[in-house]
Every structure is written in structure tokens, then in C-alpha cells.
Coordinates of all heavy atoms in Angstrom, one line a residue:
M44 N 0.8 -1.2 0.0 CA 0.0 0.0 0.0 C 0.9 1.3 0.0 O 0.5 2.2 -0.6 CB -0.9 0.0 1.2 CG -2.0 1.1 1.1 SD -3.1 1.2 2.5 CE -3.9 -0.4 2.5
L45 N 2.0 1.2 0.7 CA 2.9 2.4 0.7 C 3.5 2.7 -0.6 O 3.6 3.8 -1.0 CB 4.0 2.2 1.8 CG 3.5 2.2 3.2 CD1 4.7 1.9 4.1 CD2 2.9 3.5 3.6
A46 N 3.8 1.7 -1.4 CA 4.4 1.9 -2.8 C 3.3 2.5 -3.7 O 3.6 3.4 -4.5 CB 4.8 0.5 -3.3
E47 N 2.1 2.1 -3.6 CA 1.0 2.7 -4.4 C 0.8 4.1 -4.0 O 0.5 5.0 -4.8 CB -0.3 1.9 -4.2 CG -0.3 0.5 -4.9 CD -0.4 0.7 -6.4 OE1 -1.2 1.5 -6.9 OE2 0.4 0.1 -7.1
H48 N 0.9 4.4 -2.7 CA 0.7 5.8 -2.2 C 1.8 6.7 -2.7 O 1.6 7.8 -3.1 CB 0.6 5.8 -0.7 CG 0.3 7.2 -0.1 ND1 -1.0 7.7 -0.2 CD2 1.0 8.1 0.6 CE1 -1.0 8.9 0.4 NE2 0.3 9.1 0.8
R49 N 3.0 6.1 -2.7 CA 4.2 6.9 -3.1 C 4.0 7.2 -4.6 O 4.2 8.4 -5.1 CB 5.5 6.1 -2.9 CG 6.7 6.8 -3.3 CD 8.0 6.1 -2.9 NE 8.0 4.6 -2.9 CZ 7.9 3.9 -1.7 NH1 8.0 4.5 -0.6 NH2 7.9 2.6 -1.8
L50 N 3.6 6.3 -5.4 CA 3.3 6.5 -6.8 C 2.2 7.6 -7.0 O 2.3 8.4 -7.9 CB 2.9 5.2 -7.5 CG 2.6 5.3 -9.0 CD1 3.9 5.8 -9.8 CD2 2.2 3.9 -9.6
Y51 N 1.2 7.5 -6.2 CA 0.0 8.4 -6.2 C 0.5 9.8 -6.0 O 0.2 10.8 -6.7 CB -0.9 8.0 -5.1 CG -2.1 8.9 -4.8 CD1 -3.2 8.9 -5.7 CD2 -2.1 9.7 -3.7 CE1 -4.3 9.8 -5.4 CE2 -3.2 10.5 -3.4 CZ -4.3 10.5 -4.3 OH -5.3 11.4 -4.0
L52 N 1.5 10.0 -5.1 CA 2.0 11.3 -4.8 C 3.0 11.8 -5.9 O 2.9 12.9 -6.3 CB 2.7 11.3 -3.4 CG 1.9 11.1 -2.2 CD1 2.7 10.9 -1.0 CD2 0.8 12.2 -2.0
E53 N 3.8 10.9 -6.3 CA 4.8 11.2 -7.3 C 4.2 11.6 -8.7 O 4.8 12.4 -9.4 CB 5.8 10.1 -7.5 CG 6.8 9.8 -6.4 CD 7.6 8.6 -6.5 OE1 7.3 7.8 -7.5 OE2 8.4 8.4 -5.7
T54 N 3.1 11.0 -9.0 CA 2.4 11.3 -10.3 C 1.3 12.4 -10.1 O 0.5 12.5 -11.0 CB 1.8 10.1 -10.9 OG1 0.9 9.5 -10.0 CG2 2.9 9.0 -11.2
E55 N 1.3 13.1 -9.0 CA 0.3 14.1 -8.7 C -1.1 13.5 -8.8 O -2.0 14.1 -9.5 CB 0.6 15.3 -9.5 CG 1.9 16.0 -9.2 CD 2.1 17.2 -10.0 OE1 1.3 17.7 -10.8 OE2 3.2 17.8 -9.8
Y56 N -1.3 12.3 -8.3 CA -2.6 11.7 -8.1 C -3.1 11.0 -9.4 O -4.3 10.7 -9.5 CB -3.7 12.7 -7.6 CG -3.1 13.6 -6.5 CD1 -3.2 15.0 -6.6 CD2 -2.5 13.1 -5.4 CE1 -2.7 15.8 -5.6 CE2 -2.0 13.9 -4.4 CZ -2.1 15.3 -4.5 OH -1.6 16.1 -3.6
H57 N -2.3 10.9 -10.4 CA -2.8 10.3 -11.7 C -2.6 8.8 -11.7 O -3.3 8.1 -12.5 CB -2.0 10.9 -12.9 CG -2.3 12.4 -13.1 ND1 -3.5 12.8 -13.4 CD2 -1.5 13.4 -12.9 CE1 -3.5 14.2 -13.5 NE2 -2.2 14.5 -13.2
E58 N -1.6 8.2 -11.0 CA -1.4 6.8 -10.9 C -1.3 6.4 -9.5 O -1.2 7.2 -8.6 CB -0.1 6.5 -11.6 CG -0.1 6.8 -13.1 CD 1.2 6.4 -13.8 OE1 1.8 5.4 -13.4 OE2 1.6 7.2 -14.6
G59 N -1.4 5.1 -9.2 CA -1.3 4.6 -7.9 C -2.6 4.8 -7.1 O -3.6 5.2 -7.8
H60 N -2.6 4.7 -5.8 CA -3.8 4.9 -5.0 C -3.4 5.5 -3.7 O -2.3 5.2 -3.1 CB -4.4 3.5 -4.7 CG -4.9 2.8 -5.9 ND1 -6.0 3.1 -6.6 CD2 -4.3 1.8 -6.6 CE1 -6.1 2.3 -7.7 NE2 -5.1 1.5 -7.7
R61 N -4.3 6.4 -3.2 CA -4.1 7.0 -1.9 C -4.2 6.0 -0.9 O -5.1 5.1 -0.9 CB -5.2 8.1 -1.8 CG -5.2 8.8 -0.4 CD -6.4 9.7 -0.4 NE -6.5 10.4 0.9 CZ -7.5 11.2 1.2 NH1 -8.5 11.4 0.4 NH2 -7.5 11.7 2.4
A62 N -3.2 6.0 0.1 CA -3.2 5.0 1.2 C -4.5 5.2 2.0 O -4.9 6.3 2.4 CB -2.0 5.2 2.0
N63 N -5.1 4.0 2.3 CA -6.3 4.0 3.1 C -6.1 3.0 4.2 O -6.3 1.8 4.0 CB -7.6 3.7 2.3 CG -8.8 3.8 3.1 OD1 -8.8 3.9 4.3 ND2 -10.0 3.8 2.4
F64 N -5.8 3.5 5.4 CA -5.6 2.6 6.6 C -6.8 2.7 7.5 O -6.7 2.3 8.7 CB -4.3 3.0 7.3 CG -3.1 2.9 6.5 CD1 -2.4 4.1 6.1 CD2 -2.6 1.7 6.1 CE1 -1.2 4.0 5.4 CE2 -1.4 1.6 5.4 CZ -0.7 2.7 5.1
S65 N -7.9 3.2 7.0 CA -9.1 3.4 7.9 C -9.5 2.1 8.6 O -9.6 1.0 7.9 CB -10.3 3.9 7.1 OG -10.0 5.2 6.5
S66 N -9.6 2.2 9.9 CA -10.1 1.0 10.7 C -9.1 -0.1 10.8 O -9.4 -1.2 11.3 CB -11.4 0.5 10.3 OG -12.4 1.6 10.4
A67 N -7.9 0.0 10.2 CA -6.9 -1.0 10.2 C -6.2 -1.1 11.6 O -6.0 -0.1 12.2 CB -5.9 -0.8 9.1
D68 N -5.7 -2.3 12.0 CA -4.9 -2.4 13.2 C -3.4 -2.4 12.8 O -3.0 -3.4 12.2 CB -5.3 -3.7 13.9 CG -4.6 -3.8 15.3 OD1 -3.6 -3.0 15.5 OD2 -4.9 -4.7 16.1
L69 N -2.8 -1.3 13.0 CA -1.3 -1.2 12.6 C -0.5 -1.0 13.9 O 0.5 -0.2 13.9 CB -1.2 -0.1 11.6 CG -2.0 -0.2 10.3 CD1 -2.0 1.1 9.5 CD2 -1.4 -1.4 9.5
T70 N -0.9 -1.6 15.0 CA -0.2 -1.5 16.2 C 1.3 -1.8 16.1 O 1.7 -2.8 15.5 CB -0.8 -2.5 17.3 OG1 -2.2 -2.1 17.5 CG2 -0.1 -2.4 18.6
G71 N 2.1 -0.8 16.6 CA 3.6 -1.0 16.6 C 4.3 -0.9 15.3 O 5.5 -1.1 15.2
R72 N 3.6 -0.5 14.2 CA 4.3 -0.5 12.9 C 5.2 0.7 12.8 O 5.1 1.7 13.5 CB 3.2 -0.3 11.8 CG 2.3 -1.5 11.7 CD 2.9 -2.7 11.2 NE 2.1 -3.8 11.2 CZ 1.6 -4.5 10.1 NH1 2.0 -4.1 8.9 NH2 0.8 -5.5 10.2
D73 N 6.2 0.5 12.0 CA 7.3 1.5 11.8 C 7.0 2.3 10.5 O 7.2 1.8 9.4 CB 8.6 0.9 11.7 CG 9.8 1.9 11.6 OD1 9.5 3.1 11.6 OD2 10.9 1.4 11.5
F74 N 6.6 3.5 10.6 CA 6.3 4.4 9.5 C 7.4 5.6 9.5 O 7.1 6.6 8.9 CB 4.9 5.0 9.6 CG 3.8 4.0 9.4 CD1 3.1 3.5 10.5 CD2 3.5 3.5 8.1 CE1 2.1 2.6 10.3 CE2 2.5 2.6 8.0 CZ 1.8 2.1 9.1
S75 N 8.5 5.4 10.2 CA 9.4 6.5 10.4 C 10.0 6.9 9.0 O 10.3 6.0 8.2 CB 10.6 6.0 11.3 OG 11.2 4.9 10.8
G76 N 10.0 8.2 8.8 CA 10.4 8.8 7.5 C 9.5 8.6 6.3 O 9.8 9.0 5.2
A77 N 8.4 7.9 6.5 CA 7.4 7.7 5.4 C 6.7 8.9 4.9 O 6.5 9.8 5.7 CB 6.4 6.6 5.8
D78 N 6.4 9.0 3.7 CA 5.6 10.1 3.1 C 4.2 9.6 3.0 O 3.8 8.9 2.1 CB 6.1 10.4 1.7 CG 5.5 11.7 1.2 OD1 4.5 12.2 1.7 OD2 6.0 12.2 0.1
L79 N 3.4 10.1 4.0 CA 2.0 9.7 4.1 C 1.1 10.9 4.0 O 0.0 10.9 4.5 CB 1.8 9.0 5.5 CG 2.5 7.7 5.7 CD1 2.5 7.3 7.2 CD2 1.9 6.6 4.8
R80 N 1.5 11.9 3.2 CA 0.7 13.0 2.9 C -0.7 12.6 2.4 O -0.8 11.8 1.5 CB 1.3 13.9 1.9 CG 2.5 14.7 2.3 CD 3.1 15.5 1.2 NE 3.8 14.6 0.3 CZ 4.1 14.8 -1.0 NH1 3.7 15.9 -1.5 NH2 4.7 13.9 -1.7
G81 N -1.7 13.1 3.1 CA -3.1 12.9 2.7 C -3.6 11.5 3.0 O -4.7 11.2 2.6
A82 N -2.9 10.6 3.7 CA -3.3 9.3 3.9 C -4.6 9.3 4.8 O -4.7 10.1 5.7 CB -2.2 8.5 4.6
K83 N -5.5 8.3 4.5 CA -6.7 8.1 5.3 C -6.3 7.1 6.4 O -5.9 6.0 6.1 CB -7.8 7.6 4.4 CG -8.2 8.6 3.4 CD -9.2 7.9 2.4 CE -10.6 8.3 2.8 NZ -11.6 7.8 1.9
M84 N -6.6 7.6 7.6 CA -6.3 6.7 8.8 C -7.4 6.8 9.8 O -7.2 6.5 11.0 CB -5.0 7.2 9.4 CG -3.8 7.1 8.5 SD -2.4 7.8 9.4 CE -1.1 7.1 8.5
D85 N -8.6 7.2 9.4 CA -9.6 7.4 10.4 C -10.0 6.1 11.1 O -10.1 5.0 10.5 CB -10.9 8.1 9.8 CG -11.3 7.4 8.5 OD1 -10.5 7.4 7.6 OD2 -12.5 7.0 8.4
R86 N -10.1 6.2 12.4 CA -10.4 5.1 13.3 C -9.4 3.9 13.3 O -9.7 2.8 13.8 CB -11.8 4.5 13.0 CG -12.9 5.6 13.3 CD -14.3 5.1 12.8 NE -14.3 4.4 11.5 CZ -14.4 5.0 10.3 NH1 -14.3 6.3 10.3 NH2 -14.4 4.3 9.2
A87 N -8.2 4.2 12.8 CA -7.1 3.2 12.7 C -6.6 3.0 14.1 O -6.5 3.9 15.0 CB -6.0 3.6 11.8
V88 N -6.1 1.8 14.4 CA -5.4 1.5 15.7 C -3.9 1.5 15.4 O -3.4 0.7 14.7 CB -5.8 0.1 16.2 CG1 -5.0 -0.2 17.5 CG2 -7.3 0.0 16.4
L89 N -3.3 2.6 15.9 CA -1.9 2.9 15.6 C -1.1 3.0 16.9 O -0.1 3.7 17.0 CB -1.7 4.2 14.8 CG -2.4 4.1 13.4 CD1 -2.7 5.5 12.9 CD2 -1.5 3.3 12.5
R90 N -1.5 2.2 17.9 CA -0.9 2.2 19.2 C 0.6 1.8 19.1 O 0.9 0.8 18.5 CB -1.6 1.2 20.1 CG -1.0 1.2 21.5 CD -1.7 0.2 22.4 NE -1.4 0.5 23.8 CZ -2.0 0.1 24.8 NH1 -3.1 -0.6 24.7 NH2 -1.6 0.4 26.0
G91 N 1.4 2.7 19.6 CA 2.9 2.5 19.6 C 3.5 2.6 18.3 O 4.7 2.2 18.1
A92 N 2.8 3.0 17.3 CA 3.4 3.2 15.9 C 4.5 4.3 15.9 O 4.4 5.2 16.7 CB 2.3 3.5 14.9
D93 N 5.5 4.1 15.1 CA 6.6 5.1 15.0 C 6.5 5.9 13.7 O 6.6 5.4 12.6 CB 7.9 4.4 15.1 CG 9.1 5.3 15.1 OD1 8.9 6.5 15.1 OD2 10.2 4.8 15.2
F94 N 6.1 7.2 13.9 CA 6.0 8.1 12.7 C 7.2 9.1 12.8 O 7.1 10.2 12.2 CB 4.7 8.8 12.8 CG 3.5 7.9 12.5 CD1 2.8 7.4 13.6 CD2 3.1 7.6 11.2 CE1 1.7 6.6 13.4 CE2 2.0 6.8 11.0 CZ 1.3 6.3 12.1
T95 N 8.3 8.8 13.4 CA 9.4 9.7 13.6 C 9.9 10.2 12.2 O 10.2 9.4 11.3 CB 10.6 9.1 14.3 OG1 10.1 8.6 15.6 CG2 11.7 10.0 14.5
G96 N 9.9 11.5 12.0 CA 10.3 12.1 10.8 C 9.4 11.9 9.6 O 9.8 12.2 8.5
A97 N 8.2 11.4 9.8 CA 7.3 11.1 8.7 C 6.6 12.4 8.2 O 6.5 13.4 9.0 CB 6.2 10.1 9.1
N98 N 6.2 12.4 7.0 CA 5.4 13.5 6.4 C 4.0 13.1 6.4 O 3.5 12.3 5.6 CB 5.9 13.8 5.0 CG 5.2 15.1 4.5 OD1 4.2 15.5 5.0 ND2 5.8 15.6 3.4
L99 N 3.2 13.7 7.3 CA 1.8 13.4 7.5 C 0.9 14.7 7.2 O -0.2 14.8 7.7 CB 1.5 12.9 8.9 CG 2.1 11.6 9.3 CD1 2.4 11.5 10.7 CD2 1.2 10.5 8.8
Q100 N 1.4 15.5 6.3 CA 0.7 16.7 6.0 C -0.7 16.3 5.4 O -0.8 15.4 4.6 CB 1.4 17.5 4.9 CG 2.6 18.2 5.3 CD 3.3 18.9 4.1 OE1 2.9 18.9 3.0 NE2 4.4 19.5 4.4
S101 N -1.7 16.9 6.0 CA -3.1 16.7 5.5 C -3.6 15.3 5.7 O -4.6 14.9 5.1 CB -3.3 17.2 4.1 OG -3.0 18.6 4.0
A102 N -2.9 14.5 6.5 CA -3.4 13.1 6.8 C -4.6 13.2 7.6 O -4.9 14.2 8.3 CB -2.3 12.3 7.5
N103 N -5.4 12.1 7.6 CA -6.7 12.1 8.3 C -6.8 11.0 9.3 O -7.6 10.1 9.2 CB -7.8 12.0 7.3 CG -8.0 13.2 6.5 OD1 -8.1 14.3 7.0 ND2 -7.9 13.1 5.2
P104 N -6.0 11.0 10.4 CA -6.2 10.0 11.5 C -7.3 10.4 12.5 O -7.2 10.3 13.7 CB -4.9 9.9 12.1 CG -4.3 11.3 12.0 CD -4.9 11.8 10.7
I105 N -8.5 10.8 11.9 CA -9.6 11.2 12.8 C -10.1 10.1 13.6 O -10.4 9.0 13.1 CB -10.8 11.8 11.9 CG1 -10.3 13.0 11.1 CG2 -12.0 12.1 12.7 CD1 -11.2 13.4 10.0
G106 N -10.2 10.3 14.9 CA -10.7 9.2 15.8 C -9.8 8.0 15.9 O -10.2 7.0 16.4
A107 N -8.5 8.2 15.5 CA -7.6 7.0 15.6 C -7.1 6.8 17.0 O -7.0 7.7 17.8 CB -6.4 7.3 14.6
F108 N -6.7 5.6 17.3 CA -6.1 5.2 18.5 C -4.6 5.3 18.4 O -4.0 4.4 17.8 CB -6.5 3.8 18.9 CG -6.2 3.4 20.3 CD1 -6.9 3.9 21.4 CD2 -5.1 2.6 20.5 CE1 -6.6 3.5 22.7 CE2 -4.8 2.2 21.8 CZ -5.5 2.7 22.9
L109 N -4.0 6.4 18.9 CA -2.6 6.7 18.7 C -1.8 6.7 20.0 O -0.8 7.3 20.1 CB -2.5 8.1 18.1 CG -3.1 8.2 16.7 CD1 -3.4 9.7 16.3 CD2 -2.2 7.5 15.7
Q110 N -2.3 6.0 21.0 CA -1.7 5.9 22.3 C -0.3 5.4 22.1 O 0.0 4.4 21.4 CB -2.5 5.0 23.2 CG -1.9 5.0 24.6 CD -2.8 4.2 25.6 OE1 -3.8 3.6 25.2 NE2 -2.4 4.1 26.8
D111 N 0.7 6.1 22.8 CA 2.1 5.7 22.8 C 2.8 5.8 21.4 O 3.9 5.4 21.2 CB 2.3 4.3 23.3 CG 1.9 4.2 24.8 OD1 2.2 5.1 25.6 OD2 1.2 3.2 25.1
A112 N 2.1 6.4 20.4 CA 2.7 6.6 19.1 C 3.8 7.7 19.2 O 3.7 8.6 20.0 CB 1.7 7.0 18.1
R113 N 4.8 7.6 18.3 CA 5.9 8.6 18.2 C 5.7 9.5 16.9 O 5.8 8.9 15.9 CB 7.2 7.9 18.2 CG 7.5 7.3 19.6 CD 8.9 6.8 19.6 NE 9.8 7.9 19.5 CZ 11.1 7.8 19.5 NH1 11.7 6.7 19.6 NH2 11.8 8.9 19.3
F114 N 5.6 10.8 17.1 CA 5.6 11.7 16.0 C 6.7 12.7 16.1 O 6.6 13.8 15.5 CB 4.2 12.5 16.1 CG 3.0 11.6 15.9 CD1 2.3 11.1 16.9 CD2 2.6 11.3 14.6 CE1 1.2 10.3 16.7 CE2 1.5 10.5 14.4 CZ 0.8 10.0 15.5
D115 N 7.8 12.3 16.7 CA 8.9 13.2 16.9 C 9.5 13.6 15.5 O 9.6 12.8 14.6 CB 10.0 12.6 17.7 CG 9.6 12.1 19.1 OD1 8.6 12.7 19.6 OD2 10.2 11.2 19.6
L116 N 9.7 14.9 15.3 CA 10.2 15.5 14.0 C 9.3 15.2 12.8 O 9.7 15.5 11.7 CB 11.6 14.9 13.7 CG 12.7 15.1 14.8 CD1 13.9 14.3 14.5 CD2 13.0 16.6 14.9
A117 N 8.1 14.8 13.1 CA 7.1 14.6 12.0 C 6.4 15.9 11.5 O 6.3 16.8 12.3 CB 6.0 13.6 12.4
D118 N 6.0 16.0 10.3 CA 5.3 17.1 9.8 C 3.8 16.7 9.8 O 3.3 15.9 9.0 CB 5.7 17.5 8.4 CG 5.1 18.8 7.9 OD1 4.1 19.2 8.5 OD2 5.6 19.3 6.8
L119 N 3.0 17.3 10.7 CA 1.6 17.1 10.9 C 0.8 18.3 10.5 O -0.3 18.4 10.9 CB 1.3 16.6 12.3 CG 1.8 15.3 12.7 CD1 2.2 15.2 14.1 CD2 0.8 14.2 12.4
S120 N 1.4 19.2 9.7 CA 0.7 20.4 9.3 C -0.6 20.0 8.6 O -0.6 19.1 7.7 CB 1.5 21.3 8.5 OG 2.1 20.7 7.4
R121 N -1.7 20.6 9.0 CA -3.0 20.4 8.4 C -3.6 19.0 8.6 O -4.5 18.6 8.0 CB -3.1 20.8 6.9 CG -2.8 22.3 6.7 CD -2.9 22.7 5.3 NE -2.1 21.9 4.3 CZ -0.8 22.0 4.1 NH1 -0.1 22.9 4.8 NH2 -0.2 21.2 3.3
A122 N -2.9 18.2 9.4 CA -3.4 16.9 9.7 C -4.7 17.0 10.6 O -4.8 17.9 11.4 CB -2.4 16.0 10.4
R123 N -5.6 16.0 10.5 CA -6.8 16.0 11.3 C -6.8 14.9 12.3 O -7.1 13.8 12.0 CB -8.0 15.9 10.3 CG -8.1 17.0 9.3 CD -9.2 17.0 8.4 NE -10.4 17.1 9.2 CZ -11.6 16.7 8.8 NH1 -11.8 16.1 7.6 NH2 -12.7 16.9 9.5
L124 N -6.3 15.3 13.5 CA -6.2 14.4 14.6 C -7.4 14.4 15.6 O -7.3 13.9 16.6 CB -4.9 14.7 15.4 CG -3.6 14.5 14.6 CD1 -2.5 15.4 15.2 CD2 -3.2 13.1 14.5
S125 N -8.4 15.1 15.2 CA -9.6 15.3 16.1 C -10.2 14.0 16.5 O -10.3 13.1 15.7 CB -10.6 16.2 15.4 OG -11.1 15.6 14.2
G126 N -10.5 14.0 17.8 CA -11.2 12.8 18.3 C -10.2 11.6 18.6 O -10.7 10.5 19.0
G127 N -8.9 11.8 18.3 CA -8.0 10.7 18.5 C -7.6 10.5 19.9 O -7.6 11.4 20.7
N128 N -7.1 9.3 20.2 CA -6.6 9.0 21.6 C -5.1 9.2 21.5 O -4.4 8.4 20.8 CB -6.9 7.6 22.0 CG -6.3 7.2 23.3 OD1 -5.4 7.8 23.8 ND2 -6.9 6.3 24.0
L129 N -4.6 10.3 22.1 CA -3.2 10.7 22.0 C -2.4 10.5 23.3 O -1.4 11.1 23.5 CB -3.0 12.1 21.5 CG -3.6 12.4 20.1 CD1 -3.6 13.9 19.8 CD2 -2.9 11.7 19.0
V130 N -3.0 9.7 24.2 CA -2.4 9.5 25.5 C -1.0 9.0 25.4 O -0.7 8.0 24.6 CB -3.2 8.5 26.4 CG1 -2.5 8.1 27.7 CG2 -4.6 9.1 26.6
S131 N 0.0 9.6 26.0 CA 1.4 9.3 26.0 C 2.0 9.3 24.6 O 3.1 8.7 24.4 CB 1.6 7.9 26.6 OG 1.2 7.9 28.0
A132 N 1.4 9.9 23.6 CA 2.0 10.1 22.3 C 3.1 11.2 22.4 O 3.0 12.1 23.2 CB 1.0 10.5 21.3
S133 N 4.1 11.0 21.6 CA 5.3 11.9 21.6 C 5.3 12.8 20.4 O 5.2 12.3 19.3 CB 6.6 11.1 21.7 OG 7.7 12.0 21.7
F134 N 5.4 14.1 20.6 CA 5.4 15.1 19.5 C 6.6 16.0 19.6 O 6.5 17.2 19.2 CB 4.1 16.0 19.5 CG 2.9 15.2 19.2 CD1 2.1 14.6 20.3 CD2 2.4 15.1 17.9 CE1 1.0 13.9 20.0 CE2 1.2 14.4 17.6 CZ 0.5 13.8 18.7
E135 N 7.7 15.5 20.0 CA 8.9 16.3 20.2 C 9.4 16.9 18.9 O 9.6 16.1 17.9 CB 10.1 15.5 20.8 CG 11.2 16.4 21.2 CD 12.3 15.6 22.0 OE1 11.9 14.7 22.8 OE2 13.5 15.9 21.9
N136 N 9.5 18.2 18.8 CA 9.9 18.9 17.6 C 9.0 18.6 16.3 O 9.5 18.7 15.2 CB 11.4 18.7 17.3 CG 12.3 19.2 18.4 OD1 12.1 20.4 18.8 ND2 13.2 18.5 18.8
A137 N 7.8 18.2 16.5 CA 6.9 18.0 15.4 C 6.3 19.3 14.9 O 6.2 20.3 15.7 CB 5.7 17.1 15.9
H138 N 6.0 19.4 13.6 CA 5.4 20.5 13.0 C 3.9 20.3 13.0 O 3.4 19.5 12.3 CB 6.0 20.7 11.6 CG 5.6 21.9 10.9 ND1 4.9 22.0 9.8 CD2 5.8 23.2 11.3 CE1 4.7 23.2 9.4 NE2 5.2 24.0 10.3
L139 N 3.2 21.2 13.8 CA 1.8 21.1 14.0 C 1.0 22.2 13.4 O -0.2 22.4 13.9 CB 1.5 20.8 15.5 CG 2.1 19.6 16.1 CD1 2.0 19.7 17.6 CD2 1.3 18.4 15.6
A140 N 1.5 23.0 12.5 CA 0.8 24.2 12.0 C -0.5 23.8 11.4 O -0.6 22.9 10.5 CB 1.7 24.9 10.9
K141 N -1.6 24.4 11.9 CA -2.9 24.2 11.4 C -3.4 22.8 11.6 O -4.4 22.4 10.9 CB -3.1 24.7 10.0 CG -2.8 26.2 9.8 CD -3.1 26.7 8.4 CE -2.8 28.2 8.3 NZ -3.0 28.7 7.0
A142 N -2.8 22.0 12.4 CA -3.3 20.7 12.7 C -4.6 20.8 13.5 O -4.7 21.6 14.4 CB -2.3 19.9 13.5
D143 N -5.6 19.9 13.2 CA -6.8 19.9 14.0 C -6.7 18.9 15.1 O -6.7 17.7 14.8 CB -8.0 19.6 13.0 CG -9.3 19.5 13.7 OD1 -9.4 19.7 14.9 OD2 -10.3 19.2 13.0
M144 N -6.6 19.3 16.3 CA -6.5 18.4 17.4 C -7.7 18.5 18.4 O -7.6 18.1 19.5 CB -5.2 18.6 18.1 CG -4.0 18.4 17.2 SD -2.4 18.7 18.0 CE -2.2 17.1 18.8
E145 N -8.8 19.0 17.9 CA -10.0 19.2 18.7 C -10.5 17.9 19.2 O -10.6 16.9 18.5 CB -11.1 19.9 17.9 CG -12.3 20.3 18.7 CD -13.3 21.1 18.0 OE1 -13.3 21.1 16.7 OE2 -14.0 21.9 18.6
F146 N -10.8 17.9 20.5 CA -11.3 16.7 21.2 C -10.3 15.5 21.2 O -10.7 14.4 21.5 CB -12.6 16.2 20.7 CG -13.7 17.3 20.7 CD1 -14.2 17.8 19.5 CD2 -14.1 17.8 21.8 CE1 -15.2 18.8 19.5 CE2 -15.1 18.9 21.9 CZ -15.6 19.3 20.7
A147 N -9.0 15.8 20.9 CA -8.0 14.7 21.0 C -7.5 14.5 22.4 O -7.5 15.4 23.2 CB -6.9 15.0 20.0

């Protein structure tokens, strides 16, 4: 799915497919350094996932379970984290410009 998403971004949405992790259980997965711009992640279980240095601009983890996830040095600008469980999540030096964290 990540390869298809990378192609989707590289071809400016003409080829490949936007990553859709909605409602998936991705507990503990390593997404460090990944380009996940615009990825759909609503209601996903991402407990303990590592997004260190990842590009999550405009990603949509709305209502996602992100407990203990690492977002250190990640770009979360315009990401929609509203309603997510962010207990013990780490955001050290993360870029959060215009991120929606309402009710998170």
C-alpha cells in the first residue's frame, strides 16, 4: 500500500492509489520517515506506531487510537487528529501548523 501511495504522490494523483488505513490495526508499525501526505487513517489502531520524521501533511487520522505513538520530528501540518486518543504520544519537535486536534 505504501508503494501505491508513493506513486500516487509522485504522479500528482494520476497513478497509484491514496493510502487508506481506515479502521486497520497497525499497532507498533514503523512508519518512520514515510511520506504519508493525505493518507486516510480514520479510526485506525496505531498504538505504539513510529512516525518519527514522517510527512503526514493533511493526513486524516480522525478518531484514531494513537496511544504511545511517536511523532517526533514529523510534519503534521493540516493533519486532522480530532477525536483521536493521543495518551502518551510523543510530538517532540513535530510541526503542527494548522493541525486539527480538537477533542483529541
Side-chain angles (χ1 to χ4, degrees):
M44 189 179 304
L45 291 177
E47 284 291 310
H48 186 73
R49 184 173 28 254
L50 181 61
Y51 174 77
L52 294 172
E53 289 172 354
T54 62
E55 297 181 2
Y56 322 124
H57 296 294
E58 295 178 40
H60 300 283
R61 179 180 176 189
N63 186 349
F64 299 113
S65 297
S66 300
D68 186 348
L69 301 168
T70 298
R72 297 291 175 113
D73 183 1
F74 294 102
S75 57
D78 189 349
L79 295 168
R80 287 176 286 156
K83 295 172 101 179
M84 301 174 159
D85 47 304
R86 299 174 314 281
V88 178
L89 296 159
R90 181 181 195 160
D93 186 358
F94 294 96
T95 301
N98 186 342
L99 294 154
Q100 292 177 357
S101 301
N103 292 305
I105 299 167
F108 189 76
L109 298 161
Q110 185 174 1
D111 298 316
R113 293 189 58 181
F114 295 98
D115 302 337
L116 302 169
D118 187 348
L119 292 147
S120 55
R121 295 180 311 280
R123 298 183 65 202
L124 298 156
S125 58
N128 180 337
L129 301 173
V130 173
S131 298
S133 176
F134 291 90
E135 189 172 327
N136 295 314
H138 188 239
L139 297 165
K141 298 185 181 180
D143 177 3
M144 298 179 83
E145 188 172 22
F146 305 116

